[in-house]
């Protein structure tokens, strides 16, 4: 049996949360080492574990992986959630990067001087720019790409749940996305992840 995956990050969502989601859906057990002090972060830097002096850091397969997109792509490949061929992968990556752009807007929301106005702007972008793309893609198909679960599906359910925390009812005009979300949260691994006391992190305050 190989060594367990280890995640190094702060005790919060941030850019590590999507990695937690993907590992959960792949049913991979992982440990977390939280950075509670600057000294702990500096030790990682001084030990040469952070290529660009940034977290997230994921230790897996004898490697120390950094950069969120690179980590997600590696995990998606490793756990067969990155499509069957190059065309599938590029579609998955396009959907995934769009979702990560949208989630990043939510990540920085607590630091905005006028979060209420910023949230309205994010919700407007979600409904006008992002959701129509996914609503169209899911009208008929069960999954976004290639008829099977992929990284893009995992990020979409994470993103929609994040938005609903802030904007209840934001999916009311997007029935295909809402149905998709309903199917996804019935997956046993996701259902467990959404329960109290799981490794899912609460919204930042």
């Amino acid at each position: 049996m190989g060594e367990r995956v280890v995640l190094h990050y702060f005790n919060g969502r941030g850019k590590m949360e999507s990695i937690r989601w993907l590992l959960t859906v792949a049913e991979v057990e992982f440990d977390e080492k939280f950075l509670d002090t600057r000294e702990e972060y500096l030790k990682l830097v001084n030990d040469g574990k952070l290529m660009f002096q940034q977290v997230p850091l994921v230790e897996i397969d004898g490697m120390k992986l950094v950069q969120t997109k690179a980590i997600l792509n590696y995990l998606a490949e490793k756990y067969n959630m990155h499509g069957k061929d190059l065309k599938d992968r590029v579609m998955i990556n396009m959907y995934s990067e769009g979702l990560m752009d949208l989630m990043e807007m939510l990540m920085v929301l607590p630091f905005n001087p006028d979060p209420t106005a910023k949230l309205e702007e994010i919700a407007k972008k979600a409904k006008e720019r992002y959701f129509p793309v996914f609503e169209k893609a899911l009208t008929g198909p069960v999954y976004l790409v290639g008829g099977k679960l992929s990284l893009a599906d995992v990020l979409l359910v994470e993103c929609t749940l994040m938005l609903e925390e802030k904007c209840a009812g934001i999916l009311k005009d997007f029935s295909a996305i809402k149905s998709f979300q309903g199917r996804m949260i019935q997956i046993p691994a996701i259902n467990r992840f959404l329960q109290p006391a799981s490794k899912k992190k609460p919204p930042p305050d």
Side-chain angles (χ1 to χ4, degrees), residues 126-142:
K127 290 187 284 188
E128 294 180 1
R129 181 184 302 178
Y130 293 94
F131 285 174
V133 172
F134 297 103
E135 182 73 9
K136 181 179 179 181
L138 289 167
T139 301
V142 174

Side-chain angles (χ1 to χ4, degrees), residues 102 105-106 109 112 114-129 163 166-167 170:
L102 183 52
M105 296 179 208
L106 289 168
L109 182 64
N112 192 284
D114 187 357
T116 302
K118 187 63 178 177
L119 180 59
E120 289 175 2
E121 179 187 328
I122 294 169
K124 186 173 188 291
K125 281 184 179 177
K127 290 187 284 188
E128 294 180 1
R129 181 184 302 178
L163 278 162
K166 301 290 186 183
C167 307
I170 194 169

